[in-house]
Amino acid sequence: AMEHASQHAHLPSTSRAFDLDAPQDSAEAIIYELCRAKQHCKKHRGTLKLQPILGGITNKLFKATLADDDCPILIRVYGDGGLIDRVTEIKSFLALAEAGLGPGSYGTFANGRLEHFFEGFRTLSPSDLCNKERSLKIASQLAQSHAAIPLHPPPGQSRVVPSLWG
């Protein structure tokens, strides 16, 4: 059995899987279960608006919003493929969130995770990346991100290291 990422990240988790053939039902069940575990989250069963988001390379992305809540959630359903170590990915994801460099998470489910949704952002296109000014801003932000994440974690915590090619 695959080791579940939330076992290491201290996040609410469920063994429930998101079914891409029944996205509305899956989203409602997962959001209700995971967000109920986080006391500050007001998500509950009700009228859920689910909107697919384009831009994921292998992941399927959805924006979920309840009519009575102004706190949308990003649903990230992992794509197929075995190249990504999800346990390491969630550790890195949470380290970036803790440093204020990424969204937080509401929890994980069997084939994905729920994240805080950032309004007003979009996926960069290849032409965006060819823009010299934008590329310099990206490089500067990456340098700040790398500087903010400690290379030597506190005692008792393992260091997050890239492991795809190692």
Side-chain angles (χ1 to χ4, degrees):
M2 184 179 114
E3 189 175 20
H4 201 272
S6 66
Q7 291 172 340
H8 297 284
H10 306 292
L11 287 173
S13 68
T14 179
S15 59
R16 189 183 302 266
F18 192 97
D19 181 354
L20 291 171
D21 293 327
Q24 188 74 31
D25 291 341
S26 291
E28 285 185 6
I30 290 168
I31 288 171
Y32 176 73
E33 184 173 339
L34 291 178
C35 289
R36 184 181 52 186
K38 283 197 134 192
Q39 297 302 318
H40 70 274
C41 184
K42 300 180 290 184
K43 301 289 181 206
H44 52 82
R45 286 189 187 270
T47 307
L48 179 76
K49 180 181 176 189
L50 195 62
Q51 174 185 349
I53 298 174
L54 301 177
I57 296 171
T58 60
N59 296 328
K60 300 292 183 199
L61 306 171
F62 298 89
K63 177 183 178 182
T65 311
L66 285 171
D68 62 346
D69 196 345
D70 63 353
C71 177
I73 290 178
L74 177 74
I75 302 171
R76 179 179 303 277
V77 182
Y78 300 141
D80 293 333
L83 291 178
I84 298 174
D85 176 347
R86 297 296 179 187
V87 173
T88 300
E89 179 190 46
I90 195 77
K91 285 180 183 179
S92 299
F93 173 83
L94 292 172
L96 288 168
E98 190 174 306
L101 300 168
S105 179
Y106 292 108
T108 62
F109 49 96
N111 58 339
R113 69 178 177 249
L114 301 181
E115 302 173 12
H116 297 186
F117 186 87
F118 285 162
E119 292 282 0
F121 290 84
R122 65 177 178 82
T123 303
L124 295 176
S125 69
S127 63
D128 290 330
L129 298 174
C130 291
N131 177 295
K132 184 176 180 178
E133 183 179 317
R134 183 169 282 126
S135 292
L136 289 172
K137 287 180 181 179
I138 291 169
S140 174
Q141 190 64 44
L142 278 173
Q144 290 176 17
S145 299
H146 285 271
I149 305 300
L151 292 176
H152 303 288
Q157 291 186 1
S158 62
R159 182 175 164 218
V160 177
V161 295
S163 59
L164 180 60
W165 295 280

